Amino acid sequence: MRRGPGAMTRAWCMFEMVKALAKPARLHVVLSHADVNSFEELLTKHFDDIAGIVAGLDARKAQVSKPEDRDYILGQVRMVDGGLGTVTSTVCSSLRGWLAEQGRKVLQSHHEDNGEQNIIRLKHRVAKLLKAQGDLAGAEPLLREALQPLLREALQARREVLGDGHPDTLTSANNLARLLDAKEGN
């Protein structure tokens, strides 16, 4: 896996993205054919890596290929309210939104070959990203879905080790029942 989006390390690209997003434009991320074919697997198995790449974008570190362009680009960036910090936050926020959307799409159409544990992890990671963006309503159902199999496993393990009547087993059963009841109530 490449370790970062090449265009997003370029000062002009980040600046142009901010200018486009300031208008009623929608972000479209274009992936190579090779990346499109393996993107679902990347999301299910390497979501944290991708999120880390997005979080690591920084307009202050963006490259300018022609030194004579530096003054012009920086002058244009200074005209953006908040300067380089706004460029970075706008680009990162937009890409996080795109990443969450892509994660949701994979979860809606996931294939069995991705493995149930990978899907559970993806639900948790997308929920964590949504929560960080302030979308608690979007994060909650994903967290519930990710937690349900874990509670089932914990209940089964406690039954095997402690027996059905042990207080810890009963607590696990109660936790699972509460989760399922809340899920039915939605």
Side-chain angles (χ1 to χ4, degrees):
M1 179 171 73
R2 283 192 315 253
R3 288 291 164 200
M8 296 313 299
T9 62
R10 309 295 303 163
W12 265 122
C13 295
M14 290 186 82
F15 174 71
E16 288 171 354
M17 186 173 172
V18 167
K19 287 296 217 180
L21 291 170
K23 298 177 181 189
R26 182 159 162 37
L27 172 67
H28 294 277
V29 175
V30 179
L31 302 173
S32 71
H33 290 294
D35 288 342
V36 168
N37 293 335
S38 61
F39 194 62
E40 185 172 320
E41 181 180 355
L42 284 172
L43 280 178
T44 56
K45 295 182 179 174
H46 301 286
F47 189 88
D48 286 343
D49 292 341
I50 297 168
I53 290 167
V54 170
L57 293 175
D58 188 344
R60 293 172 295 224
K61 298 176 185 173
Q63 303 164 1
V64 179
S65 57
K66 295 181 182 177
E68 60 270 16
D69 289 345
R70 177 172 294 285
D71 290 337
Y72 179 76
I73 294 170
L74 293 177
Q76 292 293 307
V77 169
R78 276 192 284 278
M79 290 192 294
V80 173
D81 232 4
L84 289 170
T86 295
V87 171
T88 298
S89 64
T90 301
V91 168
C92 289
S93 175
S94 191
L95 286 173
R96 280 191 304 271
W98 170 81
L99 184 58
E101 179 184 327
Q102 297 307 303
R104 283 178 162 167
K105 284 180 183 177
V106 168
L107 290 171
Q108 289 172 352
S109 66
H110 78 275
H111 301 96
E112 295 301 319
D113 57 342
N114 283 325
E116 192 59 31
Q117 288 301 320
N118 287 330
I119 295 302
I120 291 169
R121 276 190 219 98
L122 181 58
K123 285 177 183 178
H124 182 261
R125 289 173 174 135
V126 171
K128 189 171 144 182
L129 181 60
L130 291 171
K131 182 181 175 208
Q133 292 176 284
D135 183 0
L136 302 180
E140 181 184 2
L142 291 173
L143 283 174
R144 287 180 186 275
E145 290 172 21
L147 186 58
Q148 185 176 342
L150 299 174
L151 287 175
R152 286 183 196 276
E153 288 175 21
L155 176 58
Q156 183 59 35
R158 286 188 175 196
R159 278 187 169 142
E160 289 172 8
V161 173
L162 303 173
D164 285 338
H166 192 279
D168 289 346
T169 302
L170 296 172
T171 298
S172 291
N174 184 51
N175 289 342
L176 180 58
R178 290 175 65 191
L179 175 71
L180 295 174
D181 185 52
K183 188 175 177 183
E184 291 297 317
N186 289 335

